[in-house]
Amino acid sequence: MKRGGRLDGILTLLFMLLAVGAVVCYFVADDNPAVYLTLGCIAILLRIVHYIMRFF
């Protein structure tokens, strides 16, 4: 996968949406931290996979 490609853009957009969703859930869902922790962890794992795919 090369930088600036279609898949690169899609994965970056998906990461940003998950990260923004996690921040919004952090401020909205105060009583249940599992929601924003789950979204944040999925976003981080997606970004790690994205970098691994870009490296190879």
Side-chain angles (χ1 to χ4, degrees):
M1 175 173 60
K2 66 182 193 177
R3 194 176 296 231
R6 183 177 177 152
L7 183 60
D8 185 53
I10 291 171
L11 288 175
T12 301
L13 179 67
L14 188 59
F15 165 74
M16 292 301 251
L17 289 174
L18 284 169
V20 169
V23 170
V24 168
C25 286
Y26 177 76
F27 290 109
V28 173
D30 289 330
D31 57 342
N32 190 6
V35 176
Y36 70 87
L37 286 175
T38 303
L39 284 176
C41 288
I42 291 172
I44 290 170
L45 288 175
L46 179 71
R47 197 59 164 180
I48 290 170
V49 168
H50 182 205
Y51 282 130
I52 290 172
M53 287 174 63
R54 191 184 288 174
F55 182 71
F56 293 112

